[in-house]
Amino acid sequence: MIMENENRTVRLFEDDAYLQSFEGEIVDVRGNEIALNQTCFYPGGGGQKGDTGRFLINGQSVVVADTFSDQSHPLKIWHRCEDADLAVQPGVSVGGEIDWDRRYAHMKMHTCLHLLCSLLPVRVTGCGISAEKARLDLDMPESTINKAEVTELLNKLIAADSPVRQFRITENVEKTIEEFVRTAAVTPPVIDGGISMVEVEGVDLQPCGGTHVSRLSEIGDVTCRKIEKKSRHNRRFTIAFS
């Protein structure tokens, strides 16, 4: 059933980050970009890249090269397809499947950055997540930890295999944002009066709308490859799978 509001997409990944396929209906088309009534494709944000994958439309397999939120309507999600001549209209049914290996790597790396935040409780000035590695920029005039120490501490946390829980809160949202947000100059989106929180049990709790693994052991061994001085008040930590 087509949603009444074409400027809002049901975000299936929020209820189940492990969902790999879904069925939906087209609500809007602009060139080679398609918006659906619902999707499990993550639209990018918080340093995590948008999902890629495939659509099945009218029996035709179409590659999805990127997923992103609409600039004017943040709750609307666009899927950029490689086929520039899509002859589709709103109301057409679509089967979708994400590139799971890529998404799962993003989930592991994103969760790992939460662990790094717990080890270095300072303001985050930037981050970037790919399927091979991730970086976290921190407001640190001087580095008080080396690569070997970061690697050891991260892997110790991962081996402890704490559960990871994602949930929404709808009360005292502004207070929660003020208390828990660590990323400078970025405020997490408030959707339907609520905000998404991610908790690594006994380790970390912060607002985040990305996708994460359900237990730390899923991450596997990691290595801190670099600690770089990017400016007078900025240190960049690069983490990769071992």
Side-chain angles (χ1 to χ4, degrees):
M1 180 177 181
I2 300 175
M3 293 175 54
E4 293 182 1
N5 184 357
E6 68 174 28
N7 290 324
R8 182 186 181 93
T9 308
V10 175
R11 305 156 72 88
L12 299 173
F13 52 84
E14 289 188 342
D15 292 326
D16 183 3
Y18 291 83
L19 184 64
Q20 301 178 37
S21 61
F22 74 103
E23 292 184 358
E25 292 184 7
I26 297 173
V27 296
D28 200 0
V29 181
R30 58 182 191 189
N32 64 331
E33 297 171 353
I34 295 174
L36 305 174
N37 63 335
Q38 61 180 7
T39 186
C40 71
F41 281 63
Y42 181 72
Q48 181 175 333
K49 296 181 182 299
D51 281 332
T52 57
R54 289 153 296 282
F55 283 162
L56 185 64
I57 308 176
N58 295 329
Q60 176 187 359
S61 180
V62 177
V63 174
V64 179
D66 193 17
T67 309
F68 55 96
S69 297
D70 189 281
Q71 290 187 350
S72 299
H73 306 282
L75 297 184
K76 182 176 185 176
I77 295 175
W78 289 99
H79 308 79
R80 180 176 294 124
C81 302
E82 287 192 349
D83 191 338
D85 299 313
L86 291 172
V88 294
Q89 298 293 328
V92 173
S93 297
V94 173
E97 181 179 2
I98 63 175
D99 287 329
W100 173 245
D101 288 345
R102 179 176 180 270
R103 154 71 86 76
Y104 191 43
H106 290 171
M107 290 165 61
K108 292 188 282 188
M109 272 297 169
H110 201 149
T111 309
C112 189
L113 289 189
H114 282 247
L115 301 183
L116 185 57
C117 279
S118 74
L119 298 176
L120 303 167
V122 297
R123 295 288 283 177
V124 175
T125 56
C127 69
I129 300 165
S130 72
E132 296 80 26
K133 61 184 180 179
R135 64 168 177 83
L136 194 67
D137 297 344
L138 298 171
D139 185 1
M140 295 179 66
E142 299 294 336
S143 180
T144 58
I145 194 169
N146 61 44
K147 293 185 297 182
E149 291 171 328
V150 172
T151 297
E152 180 181 359
L153 291 170
L154 284 176
N155 286 315
K156 185 177 180 179
L157 286 172
I158 292 168
D161 195 26
S162 297
V164 181
R165 183 171 71 103
Q166 192 152 1
F167 59 97
R168 285 172 57 81
I169 61 172
T170 57
E171 297 182 2
N172 299 320
V173 170
E174 297 301 325
K175 181 179 179 181
T176 299
I177 291 174
E178 181 179 351
E179 181 177 356
F180 288 101
V181 167
R182 299 180 190 172
T183 305
V186 176
T187 301
V190 178
I191 299 175
D192 294 334
I195 186 171
S196 178
M197 301 289 292
V198 173
E199 178 184 27
V200 182
E201 188 174 288
V203 178
D204 185 70
L205 173 64
Q206 59 181 292
C208 184
T211 58
H212 304 80
V213 296
S214 61
R215 299 199 67 91
L216 294 185
S217 62
E218 295 180 54
I219 298 172
D221 292 339
V222 297
T223 301
C224 179
R225 288 188 176 176
K226 293 180 182 178
I227 301 176
E228 304 172 87
K229 181 178 180 179
K230 304 302 291 184
S231 70
R232 189 159 62 96
H233 288 281
N234 192 54
R235 293 294 184 280
R236 174 169 294 175
F237 291 72
T238 302
I239 308 297
F241 296 115
S242 298

